[in-house]
Amino acid sequence: MVDRSRMFGALERWIALRYLGARRQEGFISVIAGFSFLGIALGVATLIISLSVFNGFQRDLLARVLGFQGHVVAMGQYGPFQASDALLDGVRTVPGVVSVMPSLDAQGLLSTRDFAGGVLVKALRPADMAARPAFADALVEGTLADGDGIAIGKRMADTGRIKLGDRVTILSPQVDAAGGPPRSRAFTVTGIVALGVSEFDNTLVLMDLATAQEFFQLDENVTAVEVNFTDPSLAPSGAGEVAKRLPGSLYVRDWQQVNGAFFGFIETQRNVVSLILGMIVVVAAFNIISGMIMMVQDKGREIAILRTMGAGRGTILRIFLMSGASIGIAGTAAGLVLGLTLSGHMEQLRQLVKAATGIDPFNSDIYFLSSLPSFTDPWQVAQVAVASVALSLLATLYPSWRAARLDPVEALRYE
């Protein structure tokens, strides 16, 4: 026995696709369908690309910032403090903690024969510095700071034409303890690091903790204790446990409290841009509505003939639903392919645009990072695809319902 419902389903699909291939006198309908297809494809692709860039920017910047300052930072309420071994060992007992590092952060002025500029001095013990991937992996020349040797940011080295082995002078903003002028000291550049964040690469000076304590006259005191967890997401809950193991004169903040406003701003920008770009898909969906209404008007005679041959209203409804949905599904699929392809090669596209126009669309001095990052979240891609197909289906409902309600007698009479 032949499965008539399956044959009839195939017939519906054949008629729906045939209606999309309009004849010469119906060419305007095909133009509208084509623009609807392009609108959905470009909207989906642009939305995926923008989300990938925002995700990559947030992810890379977060990783580099956390690598620089730690997941949880304890600082003294009244300035520098002494971080004894007993204090550090107590913090190490917090579940999830992988490292506890005393650090010293200070500002200074670095000068050479051809360069002078403000710097941010970051001082750690040599073993701690080598054990932190953010610094060890960023080393491009020489060795990290040890003794009287310092490591400087790559952009600073390029700007000041500073090379390995050069002697540079660092001036402390603090007045000498004896009441004399601010202290200055010559250091040897033993390493150059590129952290990938323009702010750090322009101003960073890595220094041995003991050398920094002597230079800034802090005795054995430090400005912070930096705590790293196995996962940054453990920091907000772990910060309370860290605080319990520290004196009351220290205050503890996790990375979300330190950088929450900045990363919240990035999240807000991503949501606003996604909403604006999502309107492209909505506009394309309205094009589907107009195109389908015109198709219903144009196909009135064919609809009436199908009705007189026994086709029910459900059949007509499904035919036009398939016609409109096929535009949305095909446009979404094309947009997914285009968006996923381009989002994986954003840095190459940036270099291509820069070479062709001479304009850098991603200026590292403005956007902090030295390269254009991209990270595609499969869940976000699925949400974009589902939303695009759903909008396309909604756009076809009214024209399809209107086609199904068409009276065959009235349609044939005016033909």
Side-chain angles (χ1 to χ4, degrees):
M1 183 176 179
V2 180
D3 188 354
R4 295 180 60 86
S5 63
R6 184 174 181 181
M7 289 180 60
F8 199 63
L11 179 62
E12 291 173 357
R13 291 194 294 271
W14 178 78
I15 295 175
L17 293 177
R18 188 172 178 83
Y19 277 0
L20 288 176
R23 297 187 296 272
R24 180 178 301 177
Q25 61 270 27
E26 302 162 356
F28 189 63
I29 298 175
S30 292
V31 171
I32 295 178
F35 277 114
S36 301
F37 168 83
L38 288 176
I40 291 175
L42 292 177
V44 169
T46 306
L47 196 52
I48 290 176
I49 292 171
S50 63
L51 287 174
S52 298
V53 170
F54 271 108
N55 290 340
F57 184 79
Q58 187 176 28
R59 180 175 174 149
D60 279 21
L61 191 59
L62 177 62
R64 298 177 194 275
V65 168
L66 292 186
F68 179 82
Q69 69 180 18
H71 301 160
V72 171
V73 179
M75 304 181 69
Q77 297 184 18
Y78 309 106
F81 59 96
Q82 188 170 8
S84 64
D85 292 337
L87 182 146
L88 301 179
D89 291 339
V91 176
R92 290 190 181 96
T93 62
V94 175
V97 170
V98 293
S99 66
V100 181
M101 302 179 182
S103 67
L104 189 155
D105 294 320
Q107 295 180 338
L109 178 68
L110 183 145
S111 63
T112 64
R113 180 180 301 176
D114 303 317
F115 173 81
V119 294
L120 171 64
V121 177
K122 179 78 173 180
L124 295 168
R125 296 177 298 193
D128 291 340
M129 197 179 303
R132 181 171 287 189
F135 298 139
D137 296 343
L139 186 66
V140 293
E141 293 184 60
T143 60
L144 291 174
D146 193 358
D148 286 337
I150 61 173
I152 64 174
K154 189 176 188 308
R155 290 172 66 90
M156 185 198 307
D158 293 340
T159 302
R161 297 191 293 274
I162 304 172
K163 303 181 295 297
L164 293 181
D166 287 354
R167 300 280 287 178
V168 299
T169 301
I170 297 181
L171 177 69
S172 168
Q174 299 172 341
V175 179
D176 188 87
R183 291 168 56 87
S184 64
R185 181 172 173 179
F187 295 89
T188 302
V189 176
T190 60
I192 296 176
V193 294
L195 277 75
V197 179
S198 60
E199 183 70 18
F200 297 155
D201 291 338
N202 273 322
T203 61
L204 179 64
V205 171
L206 292 177
M207 188 179 295
D208 178 13
L209 180 61
T211 302
Q213 287 172 330
E214 178 186 356
F215 176 62
F216 289 103
Q217 297 181 315
L218 294 180
D219 297 327
E220 295 183 355
N221 293 329
V222 297
T223 59
V225 171
E226 301 177 4
V227 184
N228 288 312
F229 287 80
T230 54
D231 191 319
S233 62
L234 299 176
S237 59
E241 294 298 322
V242 171
K244 293 178 182 177
R245 290 162 172 79
L246 294 175
S249 59
L250 303 181
Y251 65 93
V252 177
R253 294 197 299 171
D254 61 78
W255 66 268
Q256 291 185 354
Q257 293 173 316
V258 176
N259 304 289
F262 179 71
F263 288 104
F265 175 71
I266 296 177
E267 185 72 21
T268 301
Q269 275 192 321
R270 178 173 61 183
N271 294 336
V272 172
V273 170
S274 299
L275 178 62
I276 294 173
L277 295 178
M279 296 303 296
I280 298 176
V281 181
V282 175
V283 171
F286 275 101
N287 286 338
I288 293 177
I289 295 176
S290 60
M292 293 296 296
I293 290 177
M294 293 182 64
M295 183 186 294
V296 171
Q297 291 291 108
D298 188 75
K299 299 294 184 181
R301 182 171 179 272
E302 286 85 347
I303 295 172
I305 293 175
L306 288 173
R307 292 294 308 278
T308 58
M309 293 176 64
R313 289 181 174 176
T315 299
I316 304 300
L317 180 69
R318 288 191 294 272
I319 287 174
F320 283 90
L321 277 176
M322 289 180 188
S323 295
S326 61
I327 299 174
I329 294 173
T332 301
L336 287 175
V337 172
L338 180 62
L340 292 174
T341 301
L342 294 181
S343 62
H345 301 84
M346 292 307 298
E347 179 59 22
Q348 292 89 328
L349 285 175
R350 173 208 173 193
Q351 297 297 337
L352 183 63
V353 172
K354 184 177 179 180
T357 64
I359 300 174
D360 189 355
F362 189 78
N363 191 326
S364 59
D365 292 331
I366 300 175
Y367 298 104
F368 298 101
L369 298 178
S370 57
S371 61
L372 182 58
S374 176
F375 172 72
T376 303
D377 185 352
W379 173 242
Q380 289 180 340
V381 173
Q383 287 179 313
V384 171
V386 170
S388 176
V389 172
L391 282 173
S392 302
L393 289 174
L394 288 174
T396 61
L397 286 179
Y398 174 71
S400 301
W401 174 83
R402 185 170 175 176
R405 299 288 297 177
L406 187 66
D407 187 353
V409 176
E410 293 295 323
L412 291 175
R413 174 185 299 175
Y414 290 106
E415 282 291 332

